[in-house]
Amino acid sequence: MTSVPSDPPASRFRLSEDDKPIVVAASFIVIILAIGTAYTLSTQGTATLLSPQYLLQQLQVGAFLGIVAAGMMLVILLGHIDLSVPWTIAAAAMMATTVGGPAAIPVGLAVGLLVGLVNGMGVAYLRIPSMIFTLGVNAVMRGLMVAHTGGFAPQTAATDLMQYLAVGKILGIPVALLVWAAVSIGVMVLLQRTSFGKSIYAIGNKEAAAYLAGVPTKRMIIGAFCLCGMAAGLAGTLLAGYSTKAYQGMGDAYLLPAIAAVVIGGTHILGGRGRYIGTLIGVILIVLLNSVLSIMQMPEAGRQVIYGSVIIGMLLVYGRGRKVTS
Amino acid sequence: MSDLRIRLSQNAPLLTAVVVFALFYVFYNMNHPRGFSTAVLIQNSNEVFTLAMVAMAQTLPVLLGGLDLSVGAIMTLVNTIASHLLNGGPLQIIFGFIVCLAAGAACGFVNGCVVVYGRIQPIIATLATGAIFMGIALFLRPTPGGDVDGDLSWTATNDLYEIAATYGFAQDGDAAWFQPIAWIPVPLLLLILVAVCIWLPFARSVTGRTVYAVGSGEGAAFMSGLAIDRAKIAAFTLGGLFAGIGGLYLALQTSSGNADIPQAGAYTLNSIAAVVIGGTSLLGGVGSAIGSIFGALILRTISFNFRIFEIDPLMQPLFEGVVLLAAVSLGALRVLRVKNSLELFR
């Protein structure tokens, strides 16, 4: 063997491995919209799906998932996962509505920060696999909230500011969407322009190497978990504003879709690779898929099947790992 | 070190789980007004069986170094199938059993194929297949209900005496030779049978050894010429079968089928906790399904104790959470023994 096998010459039209998921997911969104529009045109004679108003309304609902997914992505990039999101959302919402007044939103964020801190400590210092540690933290948060509320939906209502952030509009654009946009810009800047962001990728690729290169890995892990917790806290606070109150299990519907959105967006589940724009597209895909399915009045059974098939189908196109041979 | 000491140190997590369970369970029985009685044992083994099965199911993917988020969904799917098929004549019921077990194994087989041939990470592949299985379960049973043969349901959830009495052998269970074993709860016996007749032979087979080898180092296993793909598919299929047995039993226990998404999620998450408490490493390659059974037993025994001490029901979830967190945090003791920080990153 004299010649080292080299990569095939990069063709002009060949997508890089990082771009492929984004392009594929984006084209799938177009397909979803096309199918949905064809359906509404044939049944109602209107293209409801394509009206800006409808899209904005869907994105407003998607903002909560989007914020959760933004935080989740940071943790997944590390090669970890945060399963404590459901009850972080619920706890943040419940504490925010309990405290009320101007302190409501800071309290909601603080709850998220605290949960993230505990998660980060457990993962970074105790070296417990995040999968199981955050699961335990989730159980503890659930216990705390059941003890706090007495097992019933709390009677307290969301403050006006919370409701405004969740359902208000500025110049016809939902405020929740603006909050999501602000979070997105923050995460994008963080991942691409700061040493913190670069460290997250480095740790996700090989933690030992990052450690030897002088990255303060423990602090970085804690930081990422804190941000994930705060994102969940923010989502919980907004969600309480959206439904004007907090209730048990309000976060349950966000964990798996958030992970799915991140992974569909091309972030590697074992960490180290992925771009935020992909997560954004993943969230939009899931939200639109849900809304098209509900327009079609698809029963829950069919939704679950389609949902699972879409995830597998997308990953078969671009999420395949390499065969381990050495 | 002598052979015995090596064996003991290799099985330390399993032994710890056994001892912890024994302590909790004896403590529970000592404080129970009817402690150490057959009735209590029957009730407890009924409550434990399904989780123990789902925990065994979760063990196999974890040994491979992955995670299966669909075990709860497979259990639920088989549960709904069982609620349709487990009635009618003896032949129909036997047919129902076979279909249920085959369905569980088939679900696991699908998982295995997606992971092996699709080369998708197990955690995310099973997240997706789990949704599909759940969808099929909802399709089969949109609302809770179903019809399960009453005699079967009664005998499967009682002791051996009731089987003999119901189906009329061993002089309706009164034969003298039958008395020493008449008290054994059926679920307990089933659990032991599954562990001894399915798990142990598998773990000792070449395929089972390959599962451990893949978990310890897939590259090394490949270079050793082991049949990796076959082992992975076999592991997921067996996991599906275990989850299926769990779902089948749940149908017998509740006499109905229920495609309950939160319940499926709770079983999945509890199964992970049980596996970890039972001494199986989430990194793969270390542990056993026997340990997971004891992990499930520990989890359930903790809730049994809550009942005895009449802890405020509102505080129970908190206690359960704290105990779970504390139990998994025990793994952190490893950190104290590490002499070189780099070893932490493995």
Side-chain angles (χ1 to χ4, degrees):
Chain A
M1 288 285 277
T2 47
S3 66
V4 181
S6 61
D7 291 332
S11 142
R12 187 176 294 270
F13 299 104
R14 200 180 160 77
L15 288 169
S16 81
E17 219 170 310
D18 277 355
D19 289 334
K20 198 173 165 192
I22 296 169
V23 173
V24 175
S27 16
F28 197 72
I29 291 180
V30 175
I31 295 175
I32 293 176
L33 281 178
I35 294 176
T37 307
Y39 179 84
T40 52
L41 275 179
S42 64
T43 53
Q44 300 155 15
T46 53
T48 328
L49 267 174
L50 297 181
S51 76
Q53 238 173 351
Y54 179 83
L55 285 178
L56 278 180
Q57 190 200 340
Q58 290 305 314
L59 288 179
Q60 179 190 359
V61 178
F64 310 116
L65 178 62
I67 293 171
V68 175
M72 184 65 87
M73 184 191 177
L74 297 178
V75 173
I76 291 182
L77 276 178
L78 281 176
H80 289 288
I81 202 158
D82 187 351
L83 299 184
S84 69
V85 157
W87 280 92
T88 310
I89 291 177
M94 285 175 180
M95 294 321 290
T97 53
T98 307
V99 173
I105 293 176
V107 164
L109 289 177
V111 170
L113 181 68
L114 199 66
V115 176
L117 191 65
V118 174
N119 284 335
M121 301 280 256
V123 173
Y125 283 95
L126 301 183
R127 304 295 309 179
I128 302 165
S130 52
M131 182 77 67
I132 187 75
F133 191 79
T134 53
L135 188 63
V137 169
N138 189 49
V140 171
M141 292 312 292
R142 170 167 169 262
L144 281 175
M145 285 307 115
V146 170
H148 169 68
T149 58
F152 299 104
Q155 292 303 309
T156 45
T159 61
D160 290 343
L161 181 58
M162 281 159 72
Q163 296 193 28
Y164 174 73
L165 283 180
V167 295
K169 284 189 178 167
I170 298 176
L171 302 173
I173 299 174
V175 181
L177 202 53
L178 296 176
V179 176
W180 181 22
V183 170
S184 297
I185 292 171
V187 171
M188 258 194 264
V189 170
L190 184 83
L191 284 179
Q192 286 172 12
R193 295 268 176 255
T194 66
S195 65
F196 179 40
K198 296 293 171 196
S199 308
I200 287 181
Y201 282 101
I203 295 172
N205 270 312
K206 190 131 187 86
E207 191 175 357
Y211 172 78
L212 287 176
V215 174
T217 51
K218 287 176 183 163
R219 265 186 283 153
M220 295 301 167
I221 292 176
I222 291 180
F225 271 99
C226 283
L227 287 178
C228 179
M230 272 175 78
L234 177 62
T237 318
L238 292 182
L239 210 53
Y242 186 72
S243 47
T244 71
K245 62 184 175 56
Y247 51 92
Q248 310 276 342
M250 62 193 292
D252 290 356
Y254 287 86
L255 175 63
L256 295 183
I259 298 176
V262 172
V263 173
I264 286 180
T267 301
H268 200 263
I269 189 77
L270 299 181
R273 236 181 50 212
R275 289 166 58 187
Y276 182 73
I277 189 88
T279 302
L280 270 184
I281 290 179
V283 171
I284 295 173
L285 192 156
I286 286 185
V287 169
L288 286 182
L289 183 64
N290 265 333
S291 90
V292 167
L293 290 180
S294 52
I295 285 183
M296 293 179 166
Q297 294 169 348
M298 181 71 71
E300 181 68 19
R303 275 186 197 219
Q304 293 274 342
V305 172
I306 292 177
Y307 197 60
S309 311
V310 166
I311 297 178
I312 290 190
M314 305 285 287
L315 289 181
L316 282 179
V317 176
Y318 54 72
R320 288 161 61 96
R322 289 195 186 82
K323 208 172 166 72
V324 180
T325 51
S326 63
Chain B
M1 282 203 289
S2 69
D3 193 42
L4 181 68
R5 277 181 62 189
I6 294 175
R7 275 173 178 277
L8 282 181
S9 69
Q10 276 175 344
N11 288 312
L14 171 63
L15 292 175
T16 317
V18 174
V19 170
V20 169
F21 163 68
L23 285 178
F24 270 132
Y25 198 61
V26 169
F27 183 70
Y28 164 73
N29 270 301
M30 275 163 54
N31 289 290
H32 194 290
R34 291 185 297 128
F36 300 109
S37 70
T38 312
V40 173
L41 188 63
I42 292 174
Q43 192 197 353
N44 292 347
S45 36
N46 271 322
E47 285 170 304
V48 138
F49 186 83
T50 305
L51 181 61
M53 276 294 125
V54 177
M56 285 181 86
Q58 183 70 266
T59 314
L60 287 143
V62 171
L63 282 176
L64 284 171
L67 205 64
D68 187 345
L69 294 183
S70 72
V71 285
I74 296 179
M75 183 208 80
T76 308
L77 173 57
V78 174
N79 175 236
T80 55
I81 297 176
S83 71
H84 282 286
L85 293 180
L86 290 189
N87 49 48
L91 280 178
Q92 278 175 299
I93 291 181
I94 290 172
F95 171 74
F97 268 113
I98 294 171
V99 170
C100 286
L101 297 180
C107 290
F109 182 73
V110 169
N111 280 340
C113 287
V114 172
V115 168
V116 168
Y117 299 115
R119 295 209 297 271
I120 300 175
Q121 280 297 320
I123 177 171
I124 203 74
T126 52
L127 170 81
T129 55
I132 296 178
F133 300 150
M134 205 64 218
I136 302 174
L138 276 166
F139 175 73
L140 288 174
R141 199 48 86 195
T143 52
D147 180 20
V148 174
D149 186 72
D151 281 354
L152 191 64
S153 174
W154 168 252
T155 51
T157 51
N158 263 293
D159 52 13
L160 287 181
Y161 177 83
E162 293 296 340
I163 292 194
T166 309
Y167 294 109
F169 64 89
Q171 297 161 17
D172 286 353
D174 290 325
W177 62 268
F178 192 65
Q179 294 316 307
I181 55 166
W183 59 275
I184 300 177
V186 177
L188 189 63
L189 189 68
L190 286 175
L191 191 59
I192 295 170
L193 278 179
V194 170
V196 172
C197 298
I198 303 183
W199 166 254
L200 285 183
F202 175 78
R204 279 151 202 249
S205 68
V206 175
T207 309
R209 292 292 176 214
T210 307
V211 170
Y212 280 87
V214 170
S216 310
E218 188 167 348
F222 177 82
M223 293 308 263
S224 310
L226 295 173
I228 291 181
D229 290 355
R230 196 170 64 197
K232 282 186 177 175
I233 292 181
F236 275 98
T237 309
L238 188 59
L241 178 68
F242 284 151
I245 297 175
L248 187 57
Y249 190 78
L250 193 66
L252 290 174
Q253 196 186 352
T254 57
S255 297
S256 65
N258 182 6
D260 183 352
I261 296 180
Q263 176 187 278
Y267 267 103
T268 304
L269 296 183
N270 277 328
S271 75
I272 303 175
V275 165
V276 171
I277 293 174
T280 301
S281 162
L282 281 178
L283 302 175
V286 182
S288 80
I290 310 291
S292 305
I293 295 178
F294 281 96
L297 290 174
I298 291 175
L299 276 182
R300 282 290 193 251
T301 313
I302 291 169
S303 354
F304 296 162
N305 276 304
F306 288 145
R307 287 205 299 251
I308 296 294
F309 293 101
E310 289 177 2
I311 290 178
D312 183 357
L314 292 179
M315 297 301 285
Q316 277 190 19
L318 180 57
F319 274 107
E320 277 174 4
V322 170
V323 170
L324 176 63
L325 195 58
V328 301
S329 299
L330 284 181
L333 293 176
R334 180 178 79 95
V335 175
L336 299 177
R337 287 204 300 272
V338 167
K339 296 195 179 73
N340 179 344
S341 304
L342 277 177
E343 282 179 25
L344 285 177
F345 300 120
R346 287 196 303 130

